C-alpha cells in the first residue's frame, strides 16, 4: 500500500542496540507527516551497521547531510557508551555538542541507555510465569469475529489505514501477533499502538490482545508489559505474554516466542518457549475438545527468511514440539 507521506521505506533491523538507536531517533524527531530526516538517516545507518558495513561520512544523495551526521555520530556515541572506550565517548560528545544536531538528540540517546544493563545487554524482562498468570483462559462469545494482524505497530499512515479497514469488519476481538517498532519502548507502545487503535475505533474499540515479538523485547519489555496491563479491563485483561481465548468450538492459544528471540552475540538465534509455558500450552490443548488455533510471532519454518544457521530454507527444531 503506497504512502504518499512516507517516501522512504520503513527500515527495521534484528538487533537490540540498533533498534533502540532507531527508537531514540524516532522519539527525538517525532513530528506529524512524512518520516523525519533524522529517523530516515538512523534507519539507513542501522541497516549498514547490521550488515557490518562502514558508515560513510558523506550522506547518501537523498538525505540531508546534517541529519546523516547526527545519525552517524549518535550511533557511534551509543556504541561507545555500551563499550569500554571512555576517550571515544568524550570525543563523540564534544562532536555532537559542536554539530547542528538538535540538543534533544544527544539527551534522548543518553536516556535510552536505561534499556541496557551491564555489558550492553538488555535488562531483565519482567516475564509473567504461568504460576502467576493462572489458567489464563478468557471466554469468547459464540460466533465471535476475531481479527488477526501482525508487525503492525509502526505508527505510520499505512498502519492507520490498515486498522481503519479492519474496523469496518467490526471485529469482536483484535489480536496483534507482535512487534511494536522499533524497540517496544513505552512511548512507542503508546504512540505506535494503543493511541492509533483508540483513534480508529473510539468508543467501539473491541478487546485488544498482543503477543510478544522480538522488537517488543528489545527495550527489555518495559513498554510491552505496561501496555498489556492497561489495554483491557475486567475479564478481558490479558494476563501475560501468553493467553487463551476460548469459544464454544474453537480456542486461540497464544505463545511467547519473543522472550528468547534475541541474543546480542548470536547472529541466527533459534527462539524457544519456556518449559513451564510449554506445559501450560499443552494443558490448554488437552483440556479442550474443540479445535485449537496456535498463535506465534515467530514461524516454525520459512522459505524466504533465514531461521537459525541453516540458510534461507531453515526451520526451528526448538519450536517443532
Amino acid at each position: 500500500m503506497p504512502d504518499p507521506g512516507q517516501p522512504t521505506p520503513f527500515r527495521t533491523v534484528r538487533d537490540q542496540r540498533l533498534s533502540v538507536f532507531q527508537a531514540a531517533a524516532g522519539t527525538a524527531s517525532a513530528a506529524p507527516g512524512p518520516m523525519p530526516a533524522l529517523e530516515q538517516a538512523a534507519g539507513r545507518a542501522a541497516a549498514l551497521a547490521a550488515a557490518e558495513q562502514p558508515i560513510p561520512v558523506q550522506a547518501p544523495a537523498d538525505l540531508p547531510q546534517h541529519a546523516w551526521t547526527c545519525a552517524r555520530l549518535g550511533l557511534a556515541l551509543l556504541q561507545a557508551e555500551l563499550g569500554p572506550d571512555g576517550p571515544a565517548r568524550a570525543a563523540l560528545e564534544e562532536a555532537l555538542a559542536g554539530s547542528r544536531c538538535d540538543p534533544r538528540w544527544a539527551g534522548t540517546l543518553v536516556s535510552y541507555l536505561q534499556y541496557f544493563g551491564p555489558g550492553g545487554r538488555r535488562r531483565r524482562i519482567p516475564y509473567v510465569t504461568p504460576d502467576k498468570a493462572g489458567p489464563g483462559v478468557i471466554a469468547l462469545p459464540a460466533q465471535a469475529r476475531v481479527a488477526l494482524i501482525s508487525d503492525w505497530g509502526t505508527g505510520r499512515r499505512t498502519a492507520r489505514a490498515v486498522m481503519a479497514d479492519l474496523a469496518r469488519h467490526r471485529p469482536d476481538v483484535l489480536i496483534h501477533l507482535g512487534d511494536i517498532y522499533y524497540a517496544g519502548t513505552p512511548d512507542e507502545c503508546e504512540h505506535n499502538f494503543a493511541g492509533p487503535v483508540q483513534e480508529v475505533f473510539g468508543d467501539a474499540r473491541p478487546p485488544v490482545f498482543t503477543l510478544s515479538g522480538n522488537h517488543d523485547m528489545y527495550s527489555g519489555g518495559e513498554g510491552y508489559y505496561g501496555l498489556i496491563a492497561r489495554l483491557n479491563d475486567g475479564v478481558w485483561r490479558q494476563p501475560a505474554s501468553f493467553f487463551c481465548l476460548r469459544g464454544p468450538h474453537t480456542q486461540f492459544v497464544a505463545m511467547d516466542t519473543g522472550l528468547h528471540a534475541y541474543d546480542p552475540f548470536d547472529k541466527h538465534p533459534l527462539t524457544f518457549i519456556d518449559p513451564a509455558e510449554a506445559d501450560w500450552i499443552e494443558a490448554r490443548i488437552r483440556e479442550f475438545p474443540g479445535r485449537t488455533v496456535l498463535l506465534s510471532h515467530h514461524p516454525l519454518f520459512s522459505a524466504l527468511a533465514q531461521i537459525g544457521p541453516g540458510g534461507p530454507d531453515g526451520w526451528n527444531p526448538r519450536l517443532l514440539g
Side-chain angles (χ1 to χ4, degrees):
M1 182 183 301
D3 184 348
Q6 185 184 328
T8 56
F10 188 82
R11 298 173 182 271
T12 65
V13 293
R14 295 181 181 179
D15 184 293
Q16 174 204 3
R17 302 180 189 190
L18 296 175
S19 293
V20 169
F21 164 69
Q22 289 180 276
T27 297
S29 61
M35 186 186 293
L38 177 60
E39 192 174 350
Q40 292 184 40
R44 197 80 61 87
L48 288 172
E52 300 182 347
Q53 296 180 13
I55 300 173
V57 173
Q58 186 64 36
D62 58 335
L63 288 176
Q65 182 62 48
H66 77 275
W68 183 253
T69 299
C70 294
R72 180 176 59 81
L73 291 175
L75 178 56
L77 176 62
L78 183 68
Q79 291 172 327
E81 290 284 356
L82 296 175
D85 197 344
R89 290 197 300 271
L92 287 164
E93 288 169 358
E94 184 176 344
L96 268 173
S99 70
R100 292 177 53 199
C101 303
D102 185 333
R104 188 182 179 204
W105 172 222
T108 302
L109 278 170
V110 172
S111 69
Y112 271 49
L113 287 168
Q114 68 179 299
Y115 298 121
F116 300 98
R121 289 182 175 270
R122 63 183 176 190
R123 291 193 176 276
R124 181 181 175 275
I125 294 170
Y127 175 73
V128 179
T129 56
D131 61 311
K132 293 181 179 178
V137 177
I138 298 171
L140 286 176
Q143 304 299 316
R145 182 172 295 188
V146 179
L148 293 173
I149 56 173
S150 184
D151 296 71
W152 175 81
T154 67
R156 300 300 170 197
R157 185 178 304 173
T158 47
R160 284 173 166 81
V162 167
M163 188 59 64
D165 186 60
L166 187 150
R168 285 191 283 270
H169 295 276
R170 293 183 294 178
D172 298 298
V173 173
L174 170 61
I175 302 176
H176 179 247
L177 299 178
D179 272 0
I180 299 172
Y181 297 98
Y182 296 98
T185 65
D187 279 347
E188 289 174 324
C189 286
E190 177 58 36
H191 297 126
N192 294 357
F193 191 90
V197 170
Q198 190 62 43
E199 289 169 17
V200 171
F201 281 98
D203 293 339
R205 181 177 80 79
V208 179
F209 297 84
T210 183
L211 275 66
S212 164
N214 46 307
H215 282 269
D216 302 296
M217 296 298 107
Y218 283 163
S219 60
E222 179 183 352
Y224 172 81
Y225 283 95
L227 175 69
I228 64 173
R230 69 178 190 275
L231 270 178
N232 308 317
D233 295 325
V235 297
W236 291 105
R237 185 177 183 275
Q238 182 173 329
S241 53
F242 50 92
F243 54 87
C244 175
L245 305 182
R246 181 174 291 171
H249 307 291
T250 303
Q251 67 175 357
F252 296 84
V253 176
M255 58 185 183
D256 183 352
T257 62
L259 180 65
H260 299 293
Y262 182 74
D263 182 328
F265 303 106
D266 186 350
K267 293 295 183 183
H268 306 293
L270 290 173
T271 191
F272 61 96
I273 304 297
D274 261 25
E277 183 184 325
D279 292 341
W280 181 93
I281 292 168
E282 291 177 5
R284 302 292 78 77
I285 294 173
R286 283 196 306 268
E287 71 192 15
F288 185 65
R291 297 172 299 180
T292 295
V293 179
L294 186 63
L295 303 177
S296 167
H297 176 74
H298 291 86
L300 171 63
F301 61 89
S302 174
L304 302 175
Q306 184 165 348
I307 298 179
D313 58 348
W315 59 287
N316 187 341
R318 304 179 82 176
L319 290 182
L320 184 59

